[in-house]
Amino acid sequence: MSFQTIPPAAKRASLRQLAKTRLLGLAFCSLLTMPVHADWQLIGEASELSFVSVKAAHLAEQHHFKTVTGTVSDDGEAHLIVDLASVHTGIDIRDQRMRDMFFKVAEFPTADFYSSVDVATAADLAVGESVDIPLVGKVRVHRIFADVKAVVTAVKLTEDRIMLTSKEPILLNASSLGLSDGVEMLRSVANLPVISLAVPITFQLQFQKTI
């Protein structure tokens, strides 16, 4: 019986190919065992962003935006985009004045909110559980930024859906966002004695996990 001798060069090539195959297999297995990270997408139709205007010293009215989009990354970086033209006050002429005089949507169509929020804590809750978590961020209107600090209540609605609700109103000042001239224009055209520059903001936002 005779045995065929494998040339050294061929043997080395075969060993290299075997090593590559093993490395690819290990890499594939490691990918399978890595944790899957998810982003969270805002569910616009299930969310609400509202603000209150106070005029004539004591008359408060609540308004909201119909169109808000946004995401939260799995490391907690949140970005919301508010379509300012979607402002809804319940009175058409007032909506138009808000768009044209206050927000000036032809030049500034959107406002942004950037924040860091501990979404991982909310995601780790059991369904139905809630927890209060801090929120720190910035709001941008008309190229001007203002700091925002708040506490939100996070509720885990389902395995892949959470809700973030403002625990108490967030108070913004129209003057600090460059909107005081717009407030004065609204006051004048509506023939009101005063419109408050303080604007309380509340929200209830639902997010769906995406992979």
Side-chain angles (χ1 to χ4, degrees):
M1 179 181 294
S2 61
F3 296 92
Q4 185 177 1
T5 302
I6 301 175
K11 187 174 182 180
R12 286 195 296 271
S14 178
L15 289 173
R16 284 196 297 270
Q17 184 61 40
L18 180 61
K20 288 181 181 179
T21 302
R22 288 178 175 175
L23 285 172
L24 287 173
L26 288 172
F28 180 70
C29 289
S30 67
L31 287 173
L32 291 178
T33 57
M34 286 176 63
V36 176
H37 296 291
D39 288 338
W40 298 83
Q41 188 79 33
L42 182 72
I43 308 170
E45 63 273 18
S47 301
E48 184 167 291
L49 176 63
S50 302
F51 65 98
V52 174
S53 64
V54 180
K55 60 187 182 183
H58 64 275
L59 181 59
E61 296 177 299
Q62 183 167 319
H63 321 294
H64 70 275
F65 296 96
K66 291 183 177 180
T67 305
V68 181
T69 58
T71 59
V72 181
S73 66
D74 65 13
D75 59 358
E77 295 304 310
H79 180 203
L80 298 182
I81 302 172
V82 182
D83 178 3
L84 297 177
S86 72
V87 63
H88 181 71
T89 69
I91 300 175
D92 290 343
I93 185 61
R94 186 166 58 189
D95 291 349
Q96 190 63 49
R97 290 170 177 171
M98 291 284 287
R99 288 192 290 266
D100 296 342
M101 299 178 182
F102 186 64
F103 291 123
K104 300 179 181 177
V105 298
E107 186 177 358
F108 306 105
T110 62
D112 296 274
F113 177 68
Y114 305 90
S115 75
S116 295
V117 59
D118 187 8
V119 71
T121 295
D124 288 340
L125 294 172
V127 173
E129 286 187 339
S130 65
V131 64
D132 290 344
I133 54 180
L135 180 149
V136 178
K138 291 182 178 293
V139 62
R140 180 205 60 80
V141 181
H142 290 196
R143 302 195 187 100
I144 298 176
F145 288 84
D147 294 330
V148 173
K149 290 184 179 180
V151 175
V152 300
T153 299
V155 181
K156 190 167 187 180
L157 301 176
T158 68
E159 286 299 332
D160 58 0
R161 184 177 291 200
I162 60 174
M163 181 171 65
L164 303 179
T165 304
S166 50
K167 192 171 179 65
E168 57 187 29
I170 301 170
L171 198 61
L172 297 180
N173 188 288
S175 180
S176 66
L177 288 167
L179 298 171
S180 56
D181 288 347
V183 171
E184 175 57 24
M185 291 177 69
L186 292 176
R187 185 206 64 78
S188 178
V189 75
N191 195 29
L192 294 169
V194 66
I195 296 178
S196 175
L197 294 174
V199 184
I201 307 290
T202 59
F203 58 81
Q204 183 172 286
L205 308 174
Q206 289 194 30
F207 292 87
Q208 183 81 29
K209 182 170 64 176
T210 61
I211 298 177

